[in-house]
């Protein structure tokens, strides 16, 4: 009934007690010092890289914007200049439709019995600018700024607005004619197509003026020869390096700011025997 000692000794050989290779000693402490906790070095490196990369990225974006901005602005101006050219073509076409009806181009302005200007050529060609309804409401016997007509003067005609011109009132226009006795628009007198002996491709019909010289489209005011010749100092228009002009043959060209005054005067004259080549 009792386990003898030799058997207990044999049992102890198969069930050894705690040894030095166990995880903890008799005091409950690990036999070796615990390793220090591992730090997340990858996260730290990522944060440092982001701090360095973000400013560099912003600098690169700034450089790209600085490089691309002039190209974007140039593209936008090219589109505006094209729209301006289309406006000029529409005006020139209206001029020729007027000429087809009355056998003359419109006068620069109409006058009353005392010779006082009443209405601009821009008003006279309204029926040929798809503005017949507006034209029929205007009293041509009264001045453009008469209380009867003034409400119509504030109406914006899209084809009379150069998209590049920053004017101080939306009803103002930079599209004008050069009023001169030797040109197509001598004032209240109308010009016949056959009287343009210098050639229609060498004679101006409509020009662009500087935005600060814009006038209400209904006003019988335009530029004169002196004003047209002396615009080089401030630029001929809102466009860069020149201005769109409509010729008496219906074409639209871009007139350079570098054009000399003698050539510009030759373009205004309709029968002086002069011409300008290479425009």
């Amino acid at each position: 009934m009792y386990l003898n000692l030799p058997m207990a000794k044999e049992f102890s050989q198969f069930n050894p007690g705690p040894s030095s290779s166990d995880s903890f000693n008799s005091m409950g402490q690990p036999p070796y010092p615990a390793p220090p906790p591992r730090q997340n070095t990858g996260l730290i490196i990522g944060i440092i890289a982001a701090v360095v990369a973000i400013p560099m990225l912003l600098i690169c974006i700034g450089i790209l914007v600085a490089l691309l901005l002039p190209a974007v602005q140039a593209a936008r101006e090219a589109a505006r200049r094209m729209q301006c050219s289309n406006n000029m073509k529409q005006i020139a076409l209206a001029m020729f439709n007027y000429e087809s009806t009355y056998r003359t181009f419109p006068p620069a302005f109409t006058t009353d019995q005392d010779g006082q200007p009443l209405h601009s050529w821009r008003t006279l060609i309204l029926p040929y600018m798809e503005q017949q309804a507006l034209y029929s409401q205007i009293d041509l016997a009264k001045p453009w700024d008469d209380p009867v007509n003034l409400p119509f003067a504030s109406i914006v005609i899209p084809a009379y607005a150069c998209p590049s011109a920053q004017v101080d009132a939306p009803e103002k226009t930079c599209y004008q004619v050069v009023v001169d006795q030797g040109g197509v628009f001598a004032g209240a007198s109308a010009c016949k197509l056959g009287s343009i002996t210098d050639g229609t491709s060498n004679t101006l019909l409509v020009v662009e003026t500087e935005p600060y010289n814009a006038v209400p489209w209904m006003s019988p005011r335009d530029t004169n020869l002196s004003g047209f010749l002396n615009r080089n100092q401030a630029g001929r228009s809102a466009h860069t390096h020149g201005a769109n002009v409509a010729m008496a043959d219906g074409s639209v060209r871009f007139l350079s700011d570098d054009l000399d005054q003698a050539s510009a005067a030759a373009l205004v004259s309709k029968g002086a025997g002069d011409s300008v080549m290479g425009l």
Side-chain angles (χ1 to χ4, degrees):
M1 295 181 63
Y2 294 97
L3 184 65
N4 57 25
L5 292 176
M7 293 183 64
K9 184 177 180 180
E10 292 178 0
F11 181 81
S12 65
Q13 292 178 354
F14 293 99
N15 295 278
S19 65
S20 61
S21 61
D22 293 337
S23 298
F24 296 92
N25 57 23
S26 60
M27 300 298 294
Q29 299 294 330
Y32 303 104
R38 298 181 60 187
Q39 296 180 348
N40 195 343
T41 57
L43 178 60
I44 296 175
I45 294 174
I47 293 174
I48 294 174
V51 170
V52 174
I54 289 176
M56 295 183 63
L57 180 61
L58 293 176
I59 292 173
C60 292
I61 292 175
I63 293 173
L64 288 175
V65 170
L67 293 174
L68 293 175
L69 187 58
V72 172
Q73 292 176 338
R76 289 177 177 174
E77 169 54 24
R80 290 192 293 264
R81 186 173 129 183
M82 181 61 67
Q83 180 58 51
C84 176
S85 177
N86 291 336
N87 291 346
M88 281 277 195
K89 290 178 181 178
Q90 187 175 350
I91 293 171
L93 179 60
M95 288 269 198
F96 274 91
N97 286 334
Y98 182 100
E99 192 276 335
S100 179
T101 301
Y102 297 99
R103 301 303 175 185
T104 66
F105 286 114
F109 50 81
T110 61
T111 60
D112 60 15
Q113 294 179 351
D114 298 325
Q116 297 299 314
L118 295 176
H119 290 276
S120 168
W121 60 271
R122 290 174 289 266
T123 299
L124 299 181
I125 67 172
L126 283 177
Y128 311 100
M129 298 281 292
E130 300 180 354
Q131 296 290 340
Q132 177 64 52
L134 174 59
Y135 178 79
S136 63
Q137 299 179 72
I138 299 173
D139 189 345
L140 297 177
K142 296 180 179 180
W144 74 277
D145 54 356
D146 185 89
V148 174
N149 291 324
L150 202 54
F152 306 120
S154 62
I155 296 176
V156 177
I157 309 298
Y160 289 161
C162 171
S164 293
Q166 300 295 323
V167 296
D168 57 5
E171 69 274 10
K172 287 189 174 182
T173 181
C174 296
Y175 299 144
Q176 301 178 27
V177 298
V178 181
V179 181
D180 184 73
Q181 289 299 316
V184 176
F185 299 93
S189 59
C191 172
K192 292 184 178 181
L193 184 60
S195 66
I196 305 177
T197 57
D198 281 349
T200 55
S201 62
N202 291 313
T203 307
L204 289 173
L205 202 61
V206 183
V207 302
E208 282 189 272
T209 62
E210 308 91 331
Y212 61 82
N213 280 330
V215 299
W217 68 264
M218 209 170 176
S219 169
R221 288 188 291 158
D222 287 271
T223 190
N224 54 29
L225 181 60
S226 177
F228 176 70
L229 297 181
N230 294 314
R231 289 181 301 162
N232 297 55
Q233 296 179 354
R236 294 185 182 277
S237 71
H239 306 299
T240 305
H241 305 310
N244 286 316
V245 296
M247 309 301 291
D249 63 352
S251 65
V252 175
R253 304 180 189 179
F254 192 73
L255 198 66
S256 173
D257 285 338
D258 296 330
L259 186 69
D260 60 274
Q261 290 192 349
S263 297
L267 289 175
V268 173
S269 66
K270 64 179 180 180
D274 48 15
S275 62
V276 180
M277 305 299 294
L279 286 180

